């Protein structure tokens, strides 16, 4: 009888430990309060604290009873750098994170760049390409997009957090096309309904997607028209929501005339639920995905020239040229998004970047991306369109590979996304 009672006490204690473990993990995942909780800093801190509390200074380690699925569910909510740190927890965690199927669910990092080449001597003059970020090996992604519906041609417009925005041309003669949003990693795609604009209009389209905010994406078009002096002004935006499957038109809410400087080497940035674009008036204009909030962010240096924006590590960064030294590149970080506080992060001379040659931004070289997880800048320069990287912390330059003189912009940075399905409301 005494042995039976002792056994029941041990069983009850074990059940209590498991209950406490699950309750703690559920609070980390915030399953009861908000199933879409994606506060990465909170999860990281709580998981570290949980691991510390679970270290074997007691007779049992509650962490040992966690299922692989639950650990992966926690890890997938963390930044890629944190996931790499958790490889050091134990050999079993290292094997768990390195597992091929689990890796698809975990955060990914920059894999490479999509781009195109043009050669009019080829039967198909335009071709699509993908280069790995290392510049070595077979491309990790096939750029044929054969999974898309059959069309005359596919033109890549934008890339945002694992999704690509494409124009699928029905006919080159009439220039008729449809927008498609696809996930190259899962080969899922959605064909968007046509927006309300004439066939002779030429709108600028941007893709807006952040899986930490929502599984749904948005696509934004700037509605533009020429004034009497032939300046193209933004009169509003038309926004497509994959949640509703509808387009909505919103009038310009910036309270004055705005010209957006978007081209193949002037990409917008989707950050904090806003789409940001540079204007020639030394400012950044931003609008949210409901067309309700409109704001302007003053550019970092009003005396600078050639404003280019990107994002890295959850912050916006900007590049410009010193008017007193056109061969010096300045890199600024928006340290405080709410107060528009910019800090000068780094400056570098083109002679340092290109072996003593005086190259000028936008003429001799282009800034195409900043690594999402570290202070690594990617450039393309020269006749052969050489892809190179500059590490700001170590002040080191590395040539990656020659993309070829036939290669053309845009060079779209790609971070694969395996864990989310392509949500669409239609």
């Amino acid at each position: 009888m005494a042995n039976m009672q002792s056994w029941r006490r041990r069983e009850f204690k074990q059940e209590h430990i498991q209950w406490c473990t699950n309750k703690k993990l559920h609070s980390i995942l915030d399953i009861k309060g908000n199933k879409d909780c994606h506060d990465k800093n909170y999860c990281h801190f709580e998981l570290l604290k949980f691991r510390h509390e679970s270290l074997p200074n007691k007779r049992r380690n509650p962490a040992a009873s966690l299922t692989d699925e639950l650990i992966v569910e926690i890890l997938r909510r963390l930044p890629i750098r944190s996931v790499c740190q958790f490889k050091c927890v134990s050999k079993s965690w290292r094997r768990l994170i390195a597992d091929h199927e689990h890796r698809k669910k975990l955060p990914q990092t920059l894999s490479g760049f999509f781009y195109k080449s043009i050669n009019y001597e080829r039967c198909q003059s335009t071709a699509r390409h993908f280069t790995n970020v290392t510049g070595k090996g077979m491309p990790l992604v096939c750029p044929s997009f054969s999974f898309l519906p059959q069309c005359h041609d596919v033109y890549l417009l934008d890339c945002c957090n694992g999704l690509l925005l494409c124009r699928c041309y029905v006919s080159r003669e009439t220039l008729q096309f449809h927008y498609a949003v696809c996930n190259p990693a899962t080969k899922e795609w959605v064909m968007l309904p046509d927006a309300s604009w004439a066939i002779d209009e030429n709108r600028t389209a941007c893709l807006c997607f952040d899986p930490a905010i929502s599984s749904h994406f948005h696509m934004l078009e700037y509605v533009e028209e020429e004034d009497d002096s032939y300046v193209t002004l933004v009169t509003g935006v038309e926004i497509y929501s994959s949640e509703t499957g509808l387009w909505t038109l919103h009038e310009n809410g910036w309270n004055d005339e705005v010209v957006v400087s978007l081209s193949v080497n002037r990409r917008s940035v989707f950050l904090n639920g806003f789409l940001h674009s540079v204007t020639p008036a030394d400012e950044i204009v931003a609008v949210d995905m409901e067309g309700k909030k409109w704001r302007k962010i003053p550019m970092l240096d009003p005396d600078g020239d050639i404003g280019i924006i990107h994002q890295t590590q959850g912050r916006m960064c900007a590049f410009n040229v010193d008017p007193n030294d056109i061969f010096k590149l300045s890199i600024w970080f928006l340290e405080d998004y709410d107060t528009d506080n910019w800090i000068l992060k780094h400056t570098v001379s083109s002679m340092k970047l290109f072996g003593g040659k005086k190259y000028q931004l936008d003429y001799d070289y282009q800034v195409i991306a900043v690594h999402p997880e570290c202070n690594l800048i990617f450039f393309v320069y020269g006749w052969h369109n050489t892809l190179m990287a500059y590490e700001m912390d170590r002040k080191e330059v590395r040539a990656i590979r020659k993309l070829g003189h036939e290669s053309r912009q845009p060079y779209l940075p790609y971070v694969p996304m395996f864990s989310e399905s392509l949500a669409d409301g239609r």
Side-chain angles (χ1 to χ4, degrees), residues 212-274:
I213 298 176
S214 172
S215 60
H216 293 278
F217 66 86
H218 293 83
M219 202 202 86
L220 183 145
E221 286 186 331
Y222 285 106
V223 182
E224 301 169 322
E225 65 178 33
E226 290 185 353
D227 64 5
D228 296 335
S229 57
Y230 301 102
V231 176
T232 303
L233 301 176
V234 175
T235 61
V237 295
E238 195 161 10
I239 302 174
Y240 173 81
S241 167
S242 70
E243 185 173 12
T244 64
L246 300 173
W247 290 90
T248 55
L249 182 63
H250 308 273
E251 292 186 359
N252 180 359
W254 290 303
N255 299 323
D256 57 6
E257 296 180 341
V258 168
V259 178
V260 174
S261 300
L262 288 181
S263 61
V264 289
N265 61 338
R266 289 287 190 278
R267 299 184 62 230
S268 293
V269 167
F270 183 62
L271 183 66
N272 298 330
F274 284 77

Side-chain angles (χ1 to χ4, degrees), residues 316-327:
M316 188 184 303
C317 58
F319 299 79
N320 72 349
V321 172
D322 189 333
N324 299 317
D325 184 356
I326 61 174
F327 303 111

Side-chain angles (χ1 to χ4, degrees), residues 114 145 147 156-166 180-190 192 206-211 214-219 242 267 412-418 420-424:
F114 287 102
F145 295 93
F147 57 87
L156 305 184
L157 295 175
D158 199 7
C159 186
C160 188
N161 290 315
L163 299 186
L164 261 69
L165 174 63
C166 314
V181 173
C182 67
N183 183 342
T186 62
K187 298 184 178 179
E188 295 179 293
W189 57 271
V190 173
L192 276 57
C206 304
L207 183 61
C208 306
F209 173 66
D210 186 348
S214 172
S215 60
H216 293 278
F217 66 86
H218 293 83
M219 202 202 86
S242 70
R267 299 184 62 230
L412 300 177
Y414 176 65
V415 178
M417 181 187 64
F418 296 96
E420 300 286 345
S421 61
L422 192 54
D424 185 68

